């Protein structure tokens, strides 16, 4: 049986970042990836006209220092997302254009939304990112869902609808599917709610030239033959002396293992001896969001000529969040949007042709008749991906942080956990994935067990 110092399971940003750190410190590493490609939840695609787009995670922004530094180290470049012109919020059958901080809401609703926004922001400031379960009042914050808090905080129907749209836009899950503590933790982890939702100055500020998947591809190129594709890991046996990782077709022994898989997939591996009950219970209750991402190409970004930025939120429709995703040179126009949460689950039951028809119908509402005539439409249903089973990331429902939060990233003997869901900074984002890989590598290098 072959032996390496560390086996890394998963060749996404987290696993590859861990492997790169370890090899640079002289450790021998094998990275086992079930897919026929690297990059995990990053995925590139190309329209017939040659324009590349991202079908997975794609944006980077301020304070995402780990991934931005890595992009620079790898010789990649970024460019700014288009963010000029008015945005639109569509509700009650009416488009509301805006260029201020009102999100297009009427004055009374905007004021109330601002009050609720401020209330959740103040509460989030108290969260301990390293150990959220020790936050003052954690039991109470974790006992209720975000939706329970929301309807207790305001009775304004439009404001409730607004936040019930905002939550799926961030989590690809409904506001009743995650605890208030998880929402607060996620907010603070990503700096602030303003940062999470903003384009310029926020999480959607920039894109990687050629696509974010190129980060993983360059990491894998550095690691060379250490990365093994089409290798489906089935289990890990652990002893006091090391681990044996079983995969379809063989086994590999190592001193340590880094499991860099989404939590729900990490829970499907077979562990001997079995994982501690808390860790196993955690992975049973750490589902990923539901999202279908759609890129729609047009001859030109025609909405720009009408003074629109391309950013739309709809409180009425399934295709509820849309942004300008055109190439930097505007050689064609691209809109990107998302079917999220319950809308994704419903849309997954339709045919691709039916989804296309519904998406285009919503775009016609937002942008007019020209939106009905794209040159091409590409979609990606992340829940249908065997080795992902959902995006953007996992979330914890009511009561889970306080009961099982300690198990999110704590090593189990010689098994270490990585992945965007295990990061305390920029949890759920590419930056968090990179940080988690660095943390797992540091645990091994420091001798943590």
């Amino acid at each position: 049986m072959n032996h390496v110092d560390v086996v890394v399971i998963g060749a996404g940003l987290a696993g590859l970042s861990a492997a790169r750190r370890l090899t640079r410190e002289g450790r021998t590493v094998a990275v086992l990836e079930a897919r026929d490609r690297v990059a995990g939840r990053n995925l590139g695609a190309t329209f017939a006209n040659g324009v590349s787009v991202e079908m997975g995670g794609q944006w980077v922004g301020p304070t995402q220092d780990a991934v931005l530094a890595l992009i620079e180290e790898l010789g990649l470049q970024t460019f700014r997302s288009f963010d000029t012109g008015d945005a639109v919020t569509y509700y009650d059958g009416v488009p509301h254009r805006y260029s201020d901080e009102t999100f297009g809401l009427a004055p009374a609703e905007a004021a109330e939304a601002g009050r609720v926004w401020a209330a959740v922001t103040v509460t989030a400031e108290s969260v301990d990112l390293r150990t959220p379960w020790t936050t003052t009042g954690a039991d109470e914050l974790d006992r209720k869902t975000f939706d329970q808090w929301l309807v207790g905080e305001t009775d304004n129907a439009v404001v409730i609808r607004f936040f019930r749209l905002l939550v799926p836009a961030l989590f690809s899950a409904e506001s009743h599917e995650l605890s208030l503590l998880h929402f607060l933790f996620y907010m603070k982890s990503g700096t602030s709610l303003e940062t999470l939702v903003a384009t310029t100055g926020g999480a959607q500020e920039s894109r990687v030239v050629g696509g974010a998947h190129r980060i993983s591809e360059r990491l894998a190129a550095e690691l060379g033959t250490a990365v093994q594709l089409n290798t489906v890991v089935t289990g890990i046996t652990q002893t006091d002396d090391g681990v044996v990782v079983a995969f379809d077709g063989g086994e590999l022994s190592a001193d340590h293992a880094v499991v860099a898989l989404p939590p729900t997939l990490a829970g499907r591996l077979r562990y001997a001896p079995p994982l501690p009950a808390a860790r196993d219970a955690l992975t049973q209750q750490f589902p990923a969001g539901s999202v279908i991402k759609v890129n729609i190409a047009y001859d030109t970004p025609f909405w720009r000529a009408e003074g629109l930025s391309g950013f739309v939120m709809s409180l009425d429709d399934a295709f509820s969040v849309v942004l300008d995703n055109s190439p930097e040179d505007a050689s064609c126009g691209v809109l990107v949007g998302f079917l999220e949460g319950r809308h994704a689950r419903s849309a997954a039951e339709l045919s691709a042709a039916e989804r296309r028809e519904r998406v285009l119908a919503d775009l016609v509402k937002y942008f007019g008749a020209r939106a009905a005539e794209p040159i091409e439409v590409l979609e990606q249903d992340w829940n249908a991906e065997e080795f992902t089973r959902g995006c953007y990331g996992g979330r914890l429902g009511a009561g889970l942080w306080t009961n099982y939060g300690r198990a999110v990233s704590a090593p189990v003997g010689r098994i270490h956990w990585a992945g965007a869901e295990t990061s305390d900074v920029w949890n759920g984002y590419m930056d968090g994935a990179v940080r988690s890989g660095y943390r797992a590598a540091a645990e091994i290098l420091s001798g943590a067990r």
Side-chain angles (χ1 to χ4, degrees), residues 14-357:
L16 293 171
S17 297
R20 184 174 188 249
R21 276 284 169 95
L22 290 164
T23 57
R24 290 191 165 198
E25 293 296 327
R27 303 304 196 269
T28 57
V29 174
V31 182
L32 308 183
E33 169 57 49
R35 296 178 176 87
D36 60 0
R37 63 173 181 85
V38 299
R41 287 174 274 191
N42 297 127
L43 176 63
T46 305
F47 286 115
N49 63 5
V51 171
S52 62
V53 288
E54 298 96 334
M55 302 308 298
Q58 67 174 76
W59 288 291
V60 293
T63 75
Q64 295 184 359
D65 301 326
V67 72
L68 289 170
L70 181 58
I71 289 167
E72 184 175 358
E73 288 174 28
L74 294 171
L76 295 169
Q77 296 180 323
T78 62
F79 66 97
R80 288 292 185 97
S81 303
F82 184 80
D83 191 29
T84 301
D86 292 343
V88 176
T89 296
Y90 202 98
Y91 64 96
D92 296 335
V94 179
H96 301 266
R97 289 178 65 145
Y98 65 96
S99 58
D100 53 19
E101 298 180 353
T102 65
F103 287 98
L105 302 178
E109 278 74 24
E112 178 65 357
R115 186 192 66 77
V116 174
W117 189 297
V120 76
T121 297
V122 169
T123 308
E125 291 173 356
S126 68
V127 174
D128 187 316
L129 287 181
R130 290 191 176 276
T131 56
W133 56 91
T134 67
T135 298
T136 300
D139 287 341
E140 179 63 26
L141 295 173
D142 203 32
R143 185 174 294 119
K144 63 183 67 173
T145 67
F146 178 82
D147 199 72
Q148 288 173 320
W149 175 85
L150 176 63
V151 297
E153 183 69 23
T154 183
D155 59 3
N156 187 297
V158 172
V159 172
I160 290 172
R161 289 167 62 197
F162 171 75
F163 279 95
R164 284 178 176 169
L165 166 64
L166 202 62
V167 170
L170 295 174
F171 297 92
S172 294
E174 301 300 318
S175 56
H176 61 268
E177 294 181 312
L178 63 155
S179 80
L180 174 59
L181 180 59
H182 187 78
F183 183 90
L184 299 171
F185 161 77
Y186 196 87
M187 269 183 63
K188 187 174 181 180
S189 173
T191 307
S192 68
L193 191 53
E194 288 87 348
T195 301
L196 291 177
V197 303
T199 298
T200 300
Q204 288 69 235
E205 181 173 271
S206 299
R207 297 163 59 192
V208 178
V209 175
H213 57 95
R214 296 186 68 197
I215 306 171
S216 292
E217 289 169 357
R218 293 215 173 171
L219 289 171
E222 280 192 19
L223 293 165
T225 58
V227 180
Q228 302 176 34
L229 303 179
N230 300 303
T231 304
V232 180
V233 172
T234 55
I236 304 174
T237 299
Q238 179 175 195
T239 68
D240 289 340
D241 299 321
V243 298
V244 174
V245 176
F247 53 89
D248 289 350
E251 293 181 336
L252 187 60
S253 69
D255 298 329
H256 296 267
V258 175
V259 179
L261 304 176
T264 187
L265 296 185
R268 297 180 188 183
L269 302 182
R270 184 174 184 178
Y271 299 87
L275 294 176
R279 172 69 197 185
D280 189 61
L282 174 78
T283 58
Q284 293 179 47
Q285 301 176 86
F286 211 146
S290 301
V291 62
I292 301 173
K293 183 175 183 177
V294 188
N295 276 285
I296 308 97
Y298 297 91
D299 289 329
T300 64
F302 61 86
W303 51 91
R304 297 183 184 182
E306 299 171 14
L308 296 173
S309 68
F311 179 64
V312 177
M313 295 196 306
S314 176
L315 279 60
D316 296 350
D317 302 291
F319 200 56
S320 55
V321 178
V322 178
L323 301 95
D324 186 317
N325 209 34
S326 306
E328 185 177 15
D329 62 5
S331 57
C332 74
V334 181
L335 292 170
V336 64
F338 306 87
L339 296 157
E340 297 162 315
R342 62 188 175 90
H343 294 308
R345 293 189 281 268
S346 296
E349 301 298 318
L350 305 175
S351 68
E354 289 171 324
R355 283 193 296 273
R356 174 189 167 109
E357 181 179 349

